[in-house]
Amino acid sequence: MPSQPAVSVVAPCFNEEAVLPEFLRRVGAVLDAMGGSSEVVLVDDGSRDTTWEVMSKAAADDPRIVAVQLMRNHGHQLALTAGLSVCRGERILIIDADLQDPPELLPDMLALMDGGADVVYGQRRTREGEGLFKKLTARVFYRTLSRITEVEIPHDAGDFRLISREVLDLLISMPERHRFIRGMIAWIGGRQVPLIYDRKARVAGESKYPFRKMVKFAADALTGFSVAPLKLSTSIGWFMAAAGSLFTVYTILGTLLWGQTARGWASLMAVLCLLSSMQFLMLGALGAYLGRLYDQSKGRPLYMIREVTCTGDRPVEPLRGLGWGHRNS
């Protein structure tokens, strides 16, 4: 049986045909310079271009490369989970294929892990190639998340990080479907050390996170690591009850003491609209949590793998029934 690689590089890919060759070149150069055993696990998350063909050819040419094809598009976090379930390294680098996070930082990360870190996460000092709106919303998201969660999730840090095999085993044992992997790793704890770096613009291709997906990702993070939206409903309820009580007292006093009747349909309708909107807002929060419970209760696989293509006789273990199917070539 082949020995366990010292390092695994795991990269989920969706329509990355333009950047994948350069990604493999740079990752390969880093691994060649380091020496030792290594592997690169690429996950095709239901791409509609030639990403899978590029992966398959690379796997046929380089025994270090393992190409994983999913049955359909599952999303970044589940595609990453599939790659993590297949990798065999003692230490695992999580990175996107767009090269915004430089693979050349791997030796520095390994040095920090040699010093006793369980997780070395990249913390962005600057973010090139991103507009003001993206930077502002990211800043608000991370600050809000840190305030309402009991888990300390680092600011300005994505999924780009190096984790130990022990941390990975704990991570993949978590069966939740709506995954926020950077938060799940933070929840595990241990010694987690930042590595400050400057994030670059995409080398090629376009962002796979439009505004709609960003909102969904933020909602998964908030509902997965905090019950603050549910607690907020109680606070709003008390506030609205107090406001309603004061308005009732004002109406009674105005009628009995001053002979005035409640005037103004505008103010009345404003209060009704405010109450209705708060009720629907809280129902939406409850629906989000119930939806997560419903999805989890069905017990379906987190992802479905069509095949795993690699060179030679390489044992590949499934992730505890969370999704499987493979072929060695």
Side-chain angles (χ1 to χ4, degrees):
M1 180 177 294
S3 61
Q4 183 180 26
V7 177
S8 291
V9 178
V10 179
C13 305
F14 177 65
N15 294 342
E16 297 288 7
E17 61 178 3
V19 72
L20 200 50
E22 178 63 13
F23 171 79
L24 291 173
R25 185 193 67 80
R26 286 177 56 176
V27 169
V30 172
L31 296 178
D32 289 340
M34 289 171 43
S37 58
S38 59
E39 68 174 1
V40 180
V41 178
L42 305 173
V43 182
D44 176 24
D45 186 24
S47 297
R48 294 186 293 269
D49 59 6
T50 61
T51 295
W52 175 245
E53 287 73 14
V54 176
M55 284 185 185
S56 300
K57 185 178 184 306
D61 295 339
D62 189 341
R64 292 181 302 190
I65 297 177
V66 181
V68 180
Q69 185 182 36
L70 301 185
M71 295 287 288
R72 62 173 178 81
N73 178 259
H74 289 276
H76 180 273
Q77 298 293 282
L78 291 182
L80 177 55
T81 302
L84 293 173
S85 74
V86 171
C87 74
R88 300 181 300 121
E90 297 175 4
R91 295 174 177 180
I92 301 92
L93 176 68
I94 300 173
I95 188 171
D96 289 337
D98 56 16
L99 291 175
Q100 288 186 276
D101 304 317
E104 289 79 10
L105 292 179
L106 177 57
D108 296 333
M109 290 178 157
L110 288 170
L112 289 172
M113 189 163 284
D114 288 337
D118 299 297
V119 177
V120 180
Y121 59 89
Q123 194 165 42
R124 304 155 184 166
R125 178 168 43 210
T126 59
R127 304 165 66 107
E128 296 180 12
E130 296 181 354
L132 179 61
F133 177 77
K134 179 70 176 292
K135 294 178 181 178
L136 179 61
T137 53
R139 182 178 180 85
V140 171
F141 166 70
Y142 283 113
R143 270 63 183 177
T144 302
L145 191 63
S146 66
R147 287 180 177 273
I148 67 175
T149 59
E150 298 179 357
V151 179
E152 185 177 352
I153 300 176
H155 295 176
D156 304 315
D159 292 320
F160 178 50
R161 60 193 62 213
L162 182 71
I163 62 177
S164 66
R165 170 54 61 173
E166 291 77 15
V167 170
L168 176 60
D169 289 340
L170 292 170
L171 175 64
I172 63 177
S173 69
M174 301 179 187
E176 55 245 54
R177 170 171 299 277
H178 299 269
R179 302 175 82 80
F180 181 57
I181 288 180
R182 66 197 71 170
M184 295 167 70
I185 293 176
W187 181 87
I188 290 172
R191 185 182 176 192
Q192 306 204 11
V193 179
L195 177 66
I196 309 298
Y197 74 106
D198 297 309
R199 196 169 198 235
K200 305 298 182 182
R202 287 183 63 95
V203 172
E206 59 183 16
S207 174
K208 306 306 185 297
Y209 263 92
F211 180 74
R212 177 180 58 83
K213 287 189 176 181
M214 288 171 54
V215 172
K216 183 180 182 301
F217 185 67
D220 283 341
L222 292 174
T223 54
F225 284 87
S226 175
V227 294
L230 296 177
K231 293 180 179 179
L232 181 62
S233 62
T234 303
S235 301
I236 292 177
W238 281 110
F239 174 78
M240 298 307 298
S245 299
L246 290 175
F247 186 76
T248 301
V249 171
Y250 168 75
T251 302
I252 294 174
L253 291 178
T255 302
L256 298 179
L257 299 182
W258 304 302
Q260 298 175 348
T261 57
R263 295 180 300 173
W265 279 102
S267 59
L268 179 60
M269 294 305 297
V271 172
L272 288 175
C273 290
L274 180 60
L275 286 171
S276 300
S277 62
M278 288 298 119
Q279 288 175 343
F280 279 108
L281 178 63
M282 292 304 104
L283 285 174
L286 287 171
Y289 284 95
L290 288 175
R292 292 175 66 95
L293 290 173
Y294 173 68
D295 284 343
Q296 196 71 32
S297 68
K298 289 185 287 189
R300 294 176 182 172
L302 295 184
Y303 52 84
M304 295 169 288
I305 295 178
R306 181 186 297 276
E307 65 179 275
V308 177
T309 300
C310 51
T311 303
D313 184 16
R314 178 187 185 275
V316 184
E317 295 297 331
L319 173 52
R320 304 184 184 183
L322 297 186
W324 189 234
H326 97 276
R327 181 189 73 189
N328 282 353
S329 63

